[in-house]
Amino acid sequence: MSALDRLSAFVAGLSPDALPEAARGAASRSLLDTLVNMAAGADFGIGGDGAAGASGWSAVPGSGPGADAFRLAVLAQVLDLSDGWRFGGNHPSSPVVAACMALAMRDTVRDTGLDPVRVRVAMVAGYEVGARLSAATHPEQTLGGLHPTGTTGAVAAAAASASLLRLDPAATGTALALAAAYAPLSLIGGVLTGATAKALDAGYAARTGLEAALLARAGVSGWSGALEDPHGFVAAVTGGRRGGLPVDDLGDRYTIAEVYLKPYPACRHTHSAIEAALAVRAEDSGLSDVEQIAAVDVASYDVATRVVGGRTGVRSSYVACQLSLPYVVAAALHDGGYGPAQLRPAAIARPAVQALAGRVRLRTDDGLDTRYPAGNPATLVLTRRDGTRVSRHVEVAPGDPRRPLAVDRILAKAPATAAGEAVRAGADEVLGARDRTVLPAVAGLLSF
């Protein structure tokens, strides 16, 4: 039995009764988290100014569930708040949940008798398929220049959509094959250089996966070798260095329970340092005068140094700042907090923050490097002008399953907008698998 057959049978056969409590609970929390992130993204806007958030989507071609999935995924991804799986380098929630919500709000699934509980089942299907593809291609595809959220996210969204549409194993296999064959390229260069198009990778992934499932339901056939063939997805995105898929633990290991949620709108590799900076700042109110800070030294692991060591300036994009540990640490120390407000153009342009960011140094510590990815450690040492020092170490950033976010902290990310308030009001129902009341809030984000 091929990996495609195994994955298809798993997705088609997944039912609410088959899910362990840990998977159900994780799906509910990730759903709530993603709805919050969508509302926050709409308030922030893909340009950081509120534009193309709740409105302004005329540049996005098409209509229907595919276009809706694109828009919702972009909103979920724009602030870099989406959950992630450290063993695959992917962020599954944005494309998977966007595809599910786009289908749930449309007549597309009415004939299947949609039950909100099925959204959780579909999410689990998408997360598990995406995890297997990500694990099979990590870190080769990232090192080769691709962003797994866009590439593997398309196949994950296809699995979620196939589950929600209740496709049989054959049609599910076709959906996965179509998504794998036509997944967006998602070059990671734009992500790492601060282009504000970064969030579009999740949009194209959600749209590709959802439409692959609809095409499969319509009878379109796909290439059965799209995943594991020497010219298939895994080989293509790893430069031929890998080919197989880890599917033996399907139904036993539910990776959705292993994803982390993000309290801060920044690359995950910055989160331990942000947490350390905020702890130091909270302990010493005198640090509100950042001119008293002579230097900030952050030791972390090699991947962090490579990915988030970049510098920013007063005209840098918010994406560049999300990927700059010096900037986010400086903003956290200056303001005593870090969130979307620190990514607005006026906040980025503050000379005092940029000057402090210039005094933040990031280096690789060999000892800490051996503890990644089991943890994502960072040690921050702040030196005052008078020569005194204070330090704080964070081994595992908040939001990891070992340090789960409380519901109140998830909801704290929701903006004070109609959509944000609606998600807050429906939080108990989302966590209890009765989420119909939040559908109007999601619809409002799309200006239906």
Side-chain angles (χ1 to χ4, degrees):
M1 189 179 243
S2 70
L4 179 62
D5 291 336
R6 295 277 298 274
L7 290 169
S8 303
F10 171 78
V11 171
L14 201 59
S15 67
D17 293 339
L19 294 183
E21 181 56 37
R24 284 197 298 270
S28 293
R29 289 170 61 83
S30 283
L31 175 59
L32 177 63
D33 185 71
T34 309
L35 294 173
V36 167
N37 297 342
M38 288 175 180
D43 182 55
F44 188 80
I46 60 174
D49 54 5
S55 59
W57 285 104
S58 58
V60 178
S63 60
D68 295 342
F70 180 97
R71 297 177 177 109
L72 289 172
V74 170
L75 294 182
Q77 189 78 359
V78 68
L79 277 167
D80 207 352
L81 280 168
S82 54
D83 65 15
W85 191 55
R86 68 184 191 274
F87 303 108
N90 61 316
H91 300 282
S93 62
S94 299
V96 167
V97 176
C100 289
M101 299 312 291
L103 284 176
M105 289 186 296
R106 291 283 182 168
D107 292 341
T108 311
V109 295
R110 180 172 294 174
D111 60 337
T112 67
L114 175 67
D115 180 340
V117 175
R118 293 292 308 178
V119 172
R120 276 66 170 191
V121 174
M123 285 177 61
V124 171
Y127 275 57
E128 298 313 311
V129 169
R132 270 66 189 182
L133 275 179
S134 297
T137 58
H138 184 67
E140 283 85 354
Q141 70 164 312
T142 302
L143 296 175
L146 301 178
H147 195 206
T149 299
T151 55
T152 65
V155 189
S161 299
S163 174
L164 204 56
L165 292 169
R166 303 193 184 191
L167 302 186
D168 63 24
T172 297
T174 296
L176 301 184
L178 290 173
Y182 301 104
L185 195 59
S186 298
L187 298 178
I188 203 168
V191 174
L192 300 180
T193 56
T196 56
K198 178 175 73 77
L200 301 185
D201 60 358
Y204 284 112
R207 182 171 197 159
T208 299
L210 186 152
E211 292 180 346
L214 294 178
L215 288 166
R217 187 174 72 165
V220 174
S221 61
W223 173 38
S224 62
L227 294 184
E228 291 187 291
D229 187 90
H231 298 289
F233 179 95
V234 174
V237 302
T238 63
R241 288 183 291 276
R242 300 178 73 173
L245 282 166
V247 295
D248 289 342
D249 58 357
L250 276 171
D252 294 321
R253 178 187 183 186
Y254 286 86
T255 62
I256 193 169
E258 301 169 2
V259 301
Y260 58 78
L261 305 185
K262 296 173 75 172
Y264 306 119
C267 178
R268 182 64 171 177
H269 298 306
T270 70
H271 281 213
S272 290
I274 293 173
E275 188 84 349
L278 291 175
V280 167
R281 174 70 159 74
E283 292 170 0
D284 186 348
S285 59
L287 292 177
S288 59
D289 179 6
V290 296
E291 289 304 315
Q292 300 303 310
I293 302 173
V296 181
D297 292 284
V298 179
S300 194
Y301 46 94
D302 183 59
V303 172
T305 306
R306 291 172 181 267
V307 175
V308 296
R311 297 290 176 179
T312 59
V314 295
R315 293 183 177 84
S316 291
S317 72
Y318 71 88
V319 173
C321 292
Q322 289 171 324
L323 286 153
S324 170
L325 184 145
Y327 175 81
V328 298
V329 165
L333 287 169
H334 185 280
D335 297 335
Y338 176 77
Q342 280 67 43
L343 296 172
R344 297 291 188 187
I348 294 169
R350 292 175 294 177
V353 174
Q354 291 295 341
L356 178 57
R359 302 196 293 275
V360 177
R361 296 188 291 269
L362 173 63
R363 64 177 178 86
T364 297
D365 179 280
D366 291 340
L368 298 183
D369 192 43
T370 64
R371 305 211 291 266
Y372 173 80
N376 48 351
T379 301
L380 181 146
V381 179
L382 183 149
T383 304
R384 301 183 182 88
R385 296 285 184 191
D386 63 9
T388 59
R389 293 183 175 184
V390 60
S391 66
R392 177 59 67 96
H393 176 78
V394 175
E395 185 70 20
V396 176
D400 185 277
R402 293 163 291 182
R403 291 188 63 192
L405 293 188
V407 172
D408 286 349
R409 195 165 185 188
I410 295 173
L411 294 176
K413 298 187 291 181
T417 60
E421 293 300 328
V423 174
R424 260 192 287 266
D428 289 341
E429 292 182 283
V430 173
L431 294 173
R434 298 183 301 276
D435 57 1
R436 293 191 186 279
T437 59
V438 302
L439 291 181
V442 179
L445 297 176
L446 299 171
S447 298
F448 281 176

